[in-house]
Amino acid sequence: GTTMRWSAATPRFQEHEFRALTTYGQFDHGTTLIDWPLTLEELEPYYEKAEDKMGVSGTHGIPPSAETNNYKVMKAGGKRIGYKEITSARMAINPVARNGRPGCQQISFCHSGCAIGAKWSTLYTEIPAAEITGHFELRANAMAVQINHDDKGRVTGVVYSDADGTLHEQKARAVAVAGNVVETARILLNSNSSMFPDGLGNSSGQVGRNYMRHMFGAVLAVMPKPVNYHRGARQTGVIYDEQYHKPERGFAGGYEIQAIAMDPWNTSATMGNWGPENTVYTQNYSHVAGLFITGEDPPEAANRISLHPTERDAHGLPVPVIEYRDHSNSVAMRDHSIEKSREMFESLGATEFWGGDAPVGCHNMGVARMSEDPKDGVTNRWGQVHDIENLFVSDGSTFSTSGAANPTLTIVALAIRQADHIAERMAQKSL
């Protein structure tokens, strides 16, 4: 579902972001920074495979993405204030036909799903390819409710409820959990037993903790002349100049500035849907330009996914509870990013400016993070749960820290790496 809705921005993590604790030191106010148990150098071959698989523009001989009007405004403003690392590449949307998918026709409103399939999505890339192999079965309208294990602590299968509410158990040699953080934490915690009273993989007490969603910022401006930012792909470029660790700015880590366009409803909703400050943007929609800002979000034990003590869902399971607060480092980073964005737009003569936290959406990460020391996390460098040798986590839950970049490319790279590891172990009959 998320790869239907996503905007397809696919930058890579930087080397220092894999060594957050070493680079930044532990912050005040309860952060739980650790270094990743793997390096950028180890992940680079899998970044290459992921970019080729997804069709990331500007890589593997693929042209950069088309420069929309909104991107051109961002690029011009960035250059005016001295930015140099500005690109329309790094989008997993075909700029030209490739691998059976057409080139982008700049239809816009990409959040509704790509009408022609130019944007990479598991719905029309990975799932059909898997079905062709004859070794894949998609069971729709089902809910995984519990992971079972034997008396040795090895997982044996997954219990799921079908569309009629009937329970089934799928036996498994290994289980990979990919519930986009909230449901990943939930099923691990809900699969508690006498052997694992606090949930699977939770001997450290870290399942559900260290939840990260990125520092988000949204910026809108009314420009002197028409932009028509809704015409073209939703996101079409990135400014990288602020992604580095420059503590003289008053915060650790960095952020990226990305061109983003929204439909009229989301343009209005971003600012709160009401009042003259809102209507000036809806009345001048054709003149609006927009930016999305994503920055590193430090992990905190208090930011977590837990189970509600009394509320249950239709399956009788405790519902998840999300606890999150912005760290002061994130607040300082957002303030800095909004001021730089204001400089960009005002350098081009913007007549109105709005900037603040993005009111919807998040990049879910953490809650089953990789760690060298089992007491600091839930999974090892392969995404294998420290406590259970045949249980894996395969989504953004394994991120040790968040970095600044949109997470999907890194999720895909880690999944390819994990799949190779699982295949090797199965061939060796060690799994």
Coordinates of all heavy atoms in Angstrom, one line a residue, residues 21 28 41 50 65 73 88 91 103 111 115 124 152 163 208 221 236 246 323 329 342 348 354 363 376 399 412 422:
L21 N 26.2 7.6 16.6 CA 26.7 7.8 18.0 C 28.2 8.3 17.9 O 28.5 9.2 18.6 CB 26.6 6.5 18.8 CG 27.2 6.6 20.2 CD1 26.5 7.6 21.0 CD2 27.1 5.2 20.9
D28 N 21.5 15.1 24.8 CA 20.8 15.2 26.1 C 19.3 14.8 25.8 O 18.9 14.6 24.7 CB 20.8 16.7 26.6 CG 22.2 17.1 27.0 OD1 23.0 16.2 27.4 OD2 22.6 18.3 26.9
E41 N 29.8 1.1 3.0 CA 30.6 0.3 2.1 C 29.9 -1.1 1.9 O 29.8 -1.6 0.8 CB 32.0 0.2 2.5 CG 32.9 -0.6 1.6 CD 34.3 -0.7 2.0 OE1 34.6 -0.3 3.2 OE2 35.2 -1.2 1.3
A50 N 19.2 -2.2 -5.7 CA 17.9 -1.6 -5.5 C 17.6 -0.5 -6.5 O 16.5 -0.4 -7.0 CB 17.9 -1.0 -4.1
S65 N 15.1 12.9 -13.9 CA 13.7 13.2 -14.0 C 13.5 14.5 -14.7 O 14.3 15.4 -14.7 CB 13.0 13.2 -12.6 OG 13.2 12.0 -11.9
V73 N 11.6 26.3 -9.8 CA 11.5 27.4 -8.8 C 12.5 27.1 -7.7 O 13.2 27.9 -7.2 CB 10.1 27.6 -8.3 CG1 10.0 28.5 -7.1 CG2 9.2 28.1 -9.4
S88 N 17.6 16.9 -10.2 CA 16.2 16.3 -10.5 C 16.3 14.8 -10.6 O 15.3 14.2 -11.1 CB 15.7 16.9 -11.8 OG 16.4 16.5 -12.9
M91 N 14.7 9.7 -8.3 CA 13.3 9.4 -8.2 C 13.0 8.0 -8.8 O 13.5 7.8 -9.9 CB 12.4 10.5 -8.9 CG 12.6 11.9 -8.3 SD 12.0 12.0 -6.7 CE 13.0 13.4 -6.1
G103 N 7.4 5.4 -19.6 CA 8.0 6.6 -19.0 C 7.0 7.5 -18.4 O 5.8 7.5 -18.9
H111 N 0.2 10.7 -5.5 CA -0.2 10.0 -4.3 C -1.5 9.2 -4.4 O -1.7 8.3 -3.6 CB -0.5 11.1 -3.2 CG 0.6 11.2 -2.2 ND1 0.4 11.8 -1.0 CD2 1.9 10.8 -2.2 CE1 1.5 11.8 -0.3 NE2 2.4 11.2 -1.0
A115 N -1.1 6.3 -12.5 CA -2.1 5.8 -13.4 C -1.6 4.9 -14.5 O -2.3 4.1 -15.1 CB -2.9 7.0 -14.1
Y124 N 2.7 -3.5 -9.0 CA 2.8 -3.9 -10.4 C 4.3 -4.2 -10.8 O 4.6 -4.3 -12.0 CB 2.2 -2.9 -11.3 CG 2.5 -1.4 -11.0 CD1 3.7 -0.9 -11.3 CD2 1.5 -0.6 -10.4 CE1 4.0 0.5 -11.0 CE2 1.7 0.7 -10.1 CZ 3.0 1.2 -10.4 OH 3.2 2.6 -10.1
K152 N 11.8 -25.1 21.5 CA 13.2 -24.7 21.5 C 13.4 -23.2 21.2 O 14.5 -22.7 21.1 CB 14.0 -25.5 20.4 CG 14.1 -27.0 20.7 CD 14.8 -27.7 19.6 CE 14.9 -29.2 19.9 NZ 15.6 -30.0 18.8
A163 N -10.7 -13.5 5.4 CA -11.8 -12.4 5.2 C -13.0 -12.8 6.0 O -13.8 -11.9 6.4 CB -12.1 -12.2 3.8
G208 N 9.5 -2.1 19.9 CA 8.5 -1.0 20.0 C 9.2 0.3 20.3 O 8.6 1.4 20.1
A221 N 4.7 28.7 -0.8 CA 4.8 30.1 -1.1 C 4.0 30.5 -2.3 O 3.8 29.7 -3.2 CB 6.3 30.4 -1.4
T236 N 10.0 16.0 -7.6 CA 10.9 16.0 -8.8 C 12.3 16.5 -8.6 O 13.0 16.7 -9.5 CB 10.2 16.9 -9.9 OG1 10.0 18.2 -9.3 CG2 8.9 16.4 -10.4
K246 N 26.7 19.5 10.4 CA 27.4 20.8 10.7 C 26.9 21.4 12.0 O 25.9 22.2 12.0 CB 27.1 21.8 9.5 CG 27.5 21.3 8.1 CD 27.1 22.3 7.0 CE 27.5 21.8 5.7 NZ 26.9 22.7 4.6
E323 N 3.4 6.6 20.7 CA 3.8 7.7 21.5 C 5.0 8.3 20.8 O 6.0 7.7 20.5 CB 4.2 7.2 22.9 CG 3.1 6.5 23.7 CD 3.6 5.8 24.9 OE1 4.0 6.6 25.9 OE2 3.6 4.6 25.0
N329 N 16.4 18.7 19.1 CA 17.3 18.8 18.0 C 16.5 18.9 16.7 O 16.8 19.6 15.8 CB 18.2 17.5 17.9 CG 19.3 17.6 16.9 OD1 20.3 18.3 17.2 ND2 19.2 17.0 15.8
R342 N 12.5 30.0 3.4 CA 12.0 31.4 3.2 C 13.0 32.2 2.4 O 12.6 32.9 1.5 CB 11.8 32.0 4.6 CG 11.3 33.4 4.5 CD 11.2 34.1 5.9 NE 10.2 33.5 6.8 CZ 9.0 33.9 6.8 NH1 8.5 34.8 6.0 NH2 8.1 33.3 7.6
L348 N 13.2 35.1 -4.8 CA 12.5 35.1 -6.1 C 11.3 35.9 -6.1 O 10.5 35.9 -7.1 CB 12.2 33.6 -6.5 CG 13.3 32.6 -6.6 CD1 12.8 31.2 -6.8 CD2 14.3 33.0 -7.7
W354 N 4.5 30.3 3.9 CA 4.1 29.5 5.1 C 5.0 28.4 5.2 O 5.4 27.7 4.3 CB 2.7 29.0 4.9 CG 2.2 28.2 6.1 CD1 1.5 28.7 7.1 CD2 2.4 26.8 6.3 NE1 1.3 27.7 8.0 CE2 1.8 26.5 7.6 CE3 3.1 25.8 5.6 CZ2 1.9 25.2 8.1 CZ3 3.1 24.5 6.2 CH2 2.5 24.2 7.4
H363 N 7.8 8.9 8.0 CA 8.6 7.8 7.5 C 8.9 6.9 8.7 O 9.7 7.2 9.5 CB 10.0 8.4 7.0 CG 9.8 9.2 5.7 ND1 10.7 10.1 5.3 CD2 8.9 9.1 4.7 CE1 10.4 10.6 4.1 NE2 9.3 10.0 3.8
D376 N 21.0 -3.6 23.1 CA 20.7 -2.3 22.5 C 19.6 -2.3 21.4 O 19.2 -1.2 21.0 CB 21.9 -1.6 21.9 CG 23.0 -1.3 23.0 OD1 22.6 -1.0 24.1 OD2 24.2 -1.3 22.6
F399 N 16.0 0.0 11.2 CA 16.9 1.1 11.1 C 17.4 1.4 12.5 O 16.7 1.7 13.4 CB 16.2 2.3 10.5 CG 16.0 2.3 9.1 CD1 15.8 1.1 8.4 CD2 16.1 3.5 8.3 CE1 15.6 1.1 7.0 CE2 15.9 3.5 7.0 CZ 15.7 2.3 6.3
V412 N 14.6 -1.3 0.7 CA 14.8 -2.3 -0.4 C 16.2 -2.9 -0.4 O 16.3 -4.1 -0.6 CB 14.4 -1.6 -1.7 CG1 14.6 -2.6 -2.9 CG2 12.9 -1.2 -1.7
I422 N 19.5 -15.1 3.7 CA 18.6 -16.2 4.0 C 18.8 -17.4 3.0 O 18.8 -18.5 3.3 CB 17.1 -15.7 4.0 CG1 16.9 -14.8 5.2 CG2 16.1 -16.9 4.0 CD1 15.5 -14.1 5.2

